Amino acid sequence: MRSLIVLASVAASTLVAAPAFAQDQKPAFTGFHIEGLAGWDHPRVPNDHANGFLYGVGAGYDYQAGRIVFGVEGEASDSTAKRCVAGVLTAGDDLCAKAGRDLYVGGRVGAVVAPTTLLYAKAGYTNGRIDADYSTVSGVGDFRDHRDLNGIRVGAGVEQAISRNAYVKAEYRYSNYEQNVDRHQVVAGFGFRF
């Protein structure tokens, strides 16, 4: 009888441990993820530039095959980068240009260089907005406008798993838009993988 109880106990613990073991075997960089992003933004237009704070959210899906990771991702971000010039047409007027929302969709490929460390490169389509605001002392002739610009983004980064489901990352990316507009960004992220 005692042998039967021991055998039943071993069988039960094996059944309980098997799913947990299978979860431990899941590659560190496979699954859906969502992340918060923040960093430095440096948009440039011909003959001028600005610096600001970038913030946004991203989501995607990665698949790890051995030491190689393939993924698709999307992102929506905004920026505080703004540049104003006074006295453009009359005394006391202001013309301000601000980097607006930025949408991105693309892919990435990377190499797992340690069990919890991924180095990757990314590329994709981006659509950025520039908001313009012209104001005068009298208010006559004031206007607001925005322009959406299509472009491409390339970048590279490192992602570090800090638990089974959480990670941090740092990346540099460069975006090149229509009308000779581009931007450099250095971004940090914190995310969860499901």
Side-chain angles (χ1 to χ4, degrees):
M1 182 70 166
R2 185 174 178 186
S3 298
L4 188 56
I5 292 172
V6 170
L7 184 58
S9 175
V10 169
S13 65
T14 301
L15 290 174
V16 170
F21 181 76
Q23 287 177 352
D24 288 342
Q25 296 304 308
K26 176 185 167 194
F29 299 99
T30 291
F32 289 98
H33 60 87
I34 187 165
E35 59 195 16
L37 303 166
W40 171 71
D41 189 24
H42 181 73
R44 298 186 308 179
V45 297
N47 303 318
D48 212 347
H49 68 275
N51 290 297
F53 178 73
L54 164 88
Y55 54 95
V57 295
Y61 181 82
D62 292 317
Y63 177 75
Q64 182 176 341
R67 296 182 64 154
I68 304 299
V69 174
F70 301 94
V72 293
E73 58 187 2
E75 178 186 309
S77 63
D78 206 343
S79 175
T80 64
K82 182 177 182 178
R83 182 80 162 172
C84 294
V85 178
V88 177
L89 298 175
T90 62
D93 70 353
D94 264 332
L95 176 62
C96 294
K98 179 188 178 304
R101 65 103 181 107
D102 189 73
L103 304 174
Y104 166 78
V105 63
R108 71 179 188 165
V109 61
V112 179
V113 296
T116 58
T117 306
L118 171 71
L119 294 179
Y120 62 88
K122 65 190 289 175
Y125 165 79
T126 181
N127 180 276
R129 176 172 287 174
I130 295 178
D131 298 316
D133 186 7
Y134 177 74
S135 60
T136 61
V137 174
S138 66
V140 177
D142 291 6
F143 72 88
R144 289 181 178 215
D145 192 19
H146 70 263
R147 180 162 297 176
D148 293 339
L149 302 172
N150 298 310
I152 59 168
R153 175 175 294 162
V154 295
V158 59
E159 184 174 309
Q160 179 67 45
I162 55 175
S163 74
R164 179 179 292 177
N165 295 72
Y167 64 89
V168 293
K169 74 176 192 175
E171 72 179 35
Y172 164 79
R173 62 254 194 108
Y174 170 76
S175 301
N176 189 302
Y177 302 95
E178 303 168 288
Q179 301 179 14
N180 295 321
V181 176
D182 66 1
R183 75 195 317 165
H184 297 270
Q185 298 171 323
V186 177
V187 177
F190 176 76
F192 294 98
R193 193 176 303 280
F194 306 98

